[in-house]
Amino acid sequence: MTSTGIRLHAPAPGWSISADVVIVGSGVAGLTAALRCEAAGLTTVVVTKARLDDGSTRWAQGGVAAALGEGDTPEQHLDDTLVAGAGLCDEEAVRILVTEGPDAVRRLISTGAHFDTDDEGGIHLTREGGHHRRRIAHAGGDATGAEVSRALVEAVHARGLRTIENALVLDLLTDADGRAAGVTLHVMGEGQHDGVGAVHAPAVVLATGGMGQVFSATTNPSVSTGDGVALALRAGAEVSDLEFVQFHPTVLFLGTEAEGQQPLVSEAVRGEGAHLVDRDGVRFMVGQHELAELAPRDIVAKGILRRMLEQGAEHMFLDARHFGADMWEHRFPTILAACRAHGIDPVTEPIPIAPAAHYASGGVRTDARGRTTVPGLYACGEVACTGVHGANRLASNSLLEGLVYAERIAADIAAERSAGGLLARVPAPVPQPDRPAHPLLAAESRFAIQRIMTEGAGVLRSEESLGRAADQLQKLHGEAREALAENGKTAEPGVDTWEATNLLCVARVLVAAARRREETRGCHWREDCAGRDDTNWRRHIVVRLNPDRSLAVRTTDTADFPPIR
């Protein structure tokens, strides 16, 4: 795979450092990879967009899914994951996840993470949607991500890993053979480094999280702007299944005009017995699925939206008044505080909820060792498409995937280096051209992109809505290209313009993939193609960026993931 030659318009690097591996992102995937690489003797640098604990991991409420309970087995966990993935999971990738997962959780505990325990001192396990057994380990009641992040950040500090905070990664550096040679980045604010610089390394690990900010309302933090997927595309890497964006069914409804990050109401609330009800108090999920409110997320989100459309309502309700004050305060303190901060008391009233963008099941295509189609470039966590999630992620598999595949990446990098392979030396990057190859969008384009995507590519899609979205996105793209071609002008380089440009890149790919998939499957819901079509569409959609900035979209011949070459 060769680089596209496309890069973001940015000043030339004014400083540089070298390492064996640079890891971009500081969630569960990034910090796990960093700790394992450091333990293997690799000089490791962690680059993160905000502070070390500011990514999506700390917002995770539910927990980590693993076959840790009595009577549970990896095979049962595999079965639940395959069902949720609606025929598009890579079974070998899932098998790796569920078999290596329990020990990965135990290593996380040995790193310092403290999970809630039962009366006997064992890990307390709960259920979430799509799981037939209690296998969700949680911490702080509903603050699992915060505890996982705390433990990993403390371990990183204790081991003295080099970190660069408040740094937005820009582009991949490559050598003359097209191999990864590091990254360029922009450090925001004063510190040891400032402005645009570079980290030179033969191994680059993308762990940049999701792209929820491509929609107006999301559970993702403001930093989740698809930077890793956009970087990979510009570097020539392939992405897969980006149409499968999971909308979390139960997000606190703050009004139709609410934008940005919205408070999540964890699936674990339903796992403990909360009911979904409509405005008349009717439990509308009963009879729609054997698990009712605990059906896989795509089914619950569709059930909520369907009843909203039937009743002409802006939201539905989650009723957990029967929990009582004591359970709310001890099991779900974070959610209780968030609800009360917005004037809702779940102890005495139902919680208004509606679906919002939550998780990208697709991403940068990798193999079982986290390798992408660009040599030396790895990806793990939400930015990656390992094949684990298929068309719809099973609840609480995301933290586990971050743990398992980060460890596999670290092992692969260490093995390559010890064998004296190409990762044993820092390659010389090819000089970047002076002229910008990719126009930047104005900062305010971010809001236009979010509106376009919410209206055209949200929970409910159609050829008409997707076509309209594609045209509007192409107009933004075309206007920026024309300005650059005619007079060499582009928006001023900066965090806001780089993020808007990345959002446009991932939005175009998402819409192109969603238009290509003419069926309803998992979290991809086409109102004009209501049925699941295994004959024609039990396969994957792979996209790459051409040097002329057009998109090359292809459909695989089978449901098998094509090999990484």
Side-chain angles (χ1 to χ4, degrees), residues 172-182 202 374-376 416 422-423 425 427:
L172 186 74
L173 294 170
T174 55
D175 67 9
D177 297 321
R179 293 185 54 85
V374 174
E416 284 282 322
L422 292 173
L423 296 185
R425 60 179 178 82

Side-chain angles (χ1 to χ4, degrees), residues 280-299:
D280 299 319
V282 175
R283 286 183 63 189
F284 55 88
M285 285 304 299
V286 175
Q288 292 198 37
H289 190 276
E290 61 166 336
L291 296 176
E293 285 92 352
L294 284 177
R297 286 179 178 174
D298 63 311
I299 294 172

Side-chain angles (χ1 to χ4, degrees), residues 27-110:
V28 62
L31 295 188
T32 298
L35 290 167
R36 299 296 178 264
C37 285
E38 186 270 344
L42 299 167
T43 304
T44 305
V45 174
V46 177
V47 175
T48 188
K49 195 172 180 181
R51 298 190 306 273
L52 282 181
D53 63 349
D54 266 352
S56 292
T57 291
R58 75 181 181 98
W59 296 100
Q61 295 174 345
V64 185
L68 297 165
E70 184 178 353
D72 197 7
T73 65
E75 199 68 26
Q76 293 176 69
H77 189 181
L78 181 142
D79 290 342
D80 285 345
T81 301
L82 295 180
V83 169
L88 281 186
C89 294
D90 180 272
E91 186 167 341
E92 181 56 29
V94 179
R95 194 170 297 280
I96 288 169
L97 179 82
V98 300
T99 55
E100 298 182 10
D103 283 343
V105 173
R106 295 183 185 102
R107 283 189 287 272
L108 176 62
I109 293 171
S110 69

Side-chain angles (χ1 to χ4, degrees), residues 417-433:
R417 182 171 176 80
S418 64
L422 292 173
L423 296 185
R425 60 179 178 82
V426 177
V430 174
Q432 299 185 60

Side-chain angles (χ1 to χ4, degrees), residues 275-540:
H275 302 146
L276 284 166
V277 299
D278 61 19
R279 64 186 182 189
D280 299 319
V282 175
R283 286 183 63 189
F284 55 88
M285 285 304 299
V286 175
Q288 292 198 37
H289 190 276
E290 61 166 336
L291 296 176
E293 285 92 352
L294 284 177
R297 286 179 178 174
D298 63 311
I299 294 172
V300 178
K302 291 170 188 175
I304 291 171
L305 188 59
R306 190 176 291 115
R307 185 55 64 98
M308 286 168 56
L309 294 172
E310 290 172 357
Q311 295 193 335
E314 296 176 340
H315 61 83
M316 291 286 104
F317 294 94
L318 186 64
D319 191 353
R321 289 174 290 180
H322 54 285
F323 284 5
D326 187 66
M327 182 172 176
W328 268 111
E329 290 167 2
H330 291 90
R331 179 67 178 87
F332 301 110
T334 306
I335 298 169
L336 177 64
C339 288
R340 285 177 169 171
H342 291 283
I344 299 153
D345 188 351
V347 176
T348 60
E349 59 186 318
I351 306 168
I353 52 88
H358 182 58
Y359 191 90
S361 293
V364 184
R365 194 165 73 81
T366 74
D367 64 10
R369 292 177 290 179
R371 297 180 174 190
T372 74
T373 52
V374 174
L377 178 66
Y378 296 78
C380 58
E382 190 173 354
V383 70
C385 182
T386 62
V388 159
H389 304 307
N392 180 52
R393 175 177 67 95
L394 180 65
S396 288
N397 268 356
S398 52
L399 291 179
L400 189 71
E401 183 195 31
L403 288 171
V404 168
Y405 281 88
E407 291 187 342
R408 294 180 70 84
I409 286 173
D412 191 70
I413 295 172
E416 284 282 322
R417 182 171 176 80
S418 64
L422 292 173
L423 296 185
R425 60 179 178 82
V426 177
V430 174
Q432 299 185 60
D434 294 330
R435 184 174 177 79
H438 198 16
L440 298 179
L441 268 67
E444 56 268 23
S445 299
R446 174 176 184 146
F447 304 106
I449 294 166
Q450 290 172 334
R451 287 192 295 271
I452 291 167
M453 293 298 289
T454 298
E455 293 172 2
V459 180
L460 189 58
R461 306 163 176 175
S462 68
E463 172 56 34
E464 181 181 358
S465 73
L466 290 166
R468 185 168 59 249
D471 291 343
Q472 293 170 330
L473 294 173
Q474 184 58 37
K475 182 179 179 182
L476 289 174
H477 180 67
E479 288 173 348
R481 285 189 62 179
E482 289 172 10
L484 181 64
E486 291 177 2
N487 51 34
K489 289 187 177 181
T490 187
E492 189 69 22
V495 173
D496 290 344
T497 56
W498 288 321
E499 286 185 335
T501 304
N502 284 340
L503 284 171
L504 178 62
C505 179
V506 297
R508 291 178 63 218
V509 175
L510 193 162
V511 169
R515 292 186 79 183
R516 174 67 67 92
R517 184 172 293 281
E518 296 178 339
E519 66 161 353
T520 289
R521 181 186 297 270
C523 51
H524 172 68
W525 188 7
R526 286 277 299 260
E527 62 177 338
D528 56 335
C529 305
R532 172 171 155 176
D533 181 0
D534 280 349
T535 301
N536 295 305
W537 289 109
R538 189 166 176 260
R539 55 198 66 191
H540 306 277

